[in-house]
């Protein structure tokens, strides 16, 4: 989802908001529920034609991910944004509390979970 949605240089943001100008706002991401993951994209458009073009652009970019390699530069940018967002959840006391609550309620009860999570992405 970072390659497609996060940041002005992400594929969907660049294409839909800046190049084709077919949407005025994009949001979404991966939603995890139990053992299922869903990728959701929300695009704000003004007309039915723009909605159809937005839908086509979203599926086109997903199809490109299936068939084309991701450049090392683009992958590194996405990894760095992920790391920044992950670490941002520890910047205030409220965010730390939310993280600790989610951690406590999750199945991941070992103390080294955070280090293991970052290690997966080779940070």
């Amino acid at each position: 989802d970072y390659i497609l949605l996060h940041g002005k240089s992400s594929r969907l943001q660049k294409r839909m908001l800046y190049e084709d100008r077919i949407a005025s706002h994009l949001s979404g991401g991966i939603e995890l529920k139990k053992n299922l993951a869903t990728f959701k994209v929300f695009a704000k458009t003004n007309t039915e034609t723009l909605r159809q073009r937005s839908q086509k652009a979203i599926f086109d970019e997903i199809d490109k991910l299936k068939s084309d390699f991701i450049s090392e530069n683009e992958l590194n940018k996405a990894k760095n944004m992920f790391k920044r967002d992950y670490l941002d959840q520890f910047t205030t006391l409220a965010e730390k509390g939310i993280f600790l609550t989610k951690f406590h309620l999750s199945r991941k009860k070992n103390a080294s979970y955070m280090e293991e999570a970052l290690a997966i992405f080779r940070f």
Side-chain angles (χ1 to χ4, degrees), residues 10-94:
S10 67
R11 292 180 182 195
L12 288 173
Q13 295 266 351
K14 189 167 48 173
R15 178 175 176 180
M16 295 174 67
L17 298 180
Y18 303 110
E19 292 173 0
D20 296 349
R21 302 179 77 160
I22 54 178
S24 59
H25 178 76
L26 282 174
S27 64
I30 297 174
E31 182 180 303
L32 301 172
K33 287 188 178 179
K34 295 187 181 182
N35 293 331
L36 298 174
T38 305
F39 181 64
K40 296 181 177 184
V41 179
F42 301 95
K44 184 177 179 182
T45 63
N46 294 330
T47 67
E48 178 62 22
T49 302
L50 291 177
R51 186 199 63 79
Q52 291 172 356
R53 288 179 60 200
S54 293
Q55 185 175 358
K56 182 181 179 336
I58 291 166
F59 284 107
D60 285 350
E61 292 301 324
I62 291 171
D63 286 341
K64 284 181 189 177
L65 280 178
K66 293 177 188 178
S67 61
D68 298 339
F69 286 107
I70 298 168
S71 73
E72 191 168 335
N73 183 42
E74 188 177 21
L75 184 60
N76 286 333
K77 189 184 307 183
K79 285 180 177 182
N80 288 332
M81 288 182 75
F82 176 84
K83 181 180 179 182
R84 184 205 62 212
D85 289 349
Y86 186 83
L87 294 174
D88 276 351
Q89 67 185 329
F90 307 107
T91 56
T92 68
L93 287 176

Side-chain angles (χ1 to χ4, degrees), residues 1-16:
D1 70 335
Y2 276 80
I3 289 173
L4 288 173
L5 280 174
H6 292 275
K8 289 183 179 182
S9 63
S10 67
R11 292 180 182 195
L12 288 173
Q13 295 266 351
K14 189 167 48 173
R15 178 175 176 180
M16 295 174 67

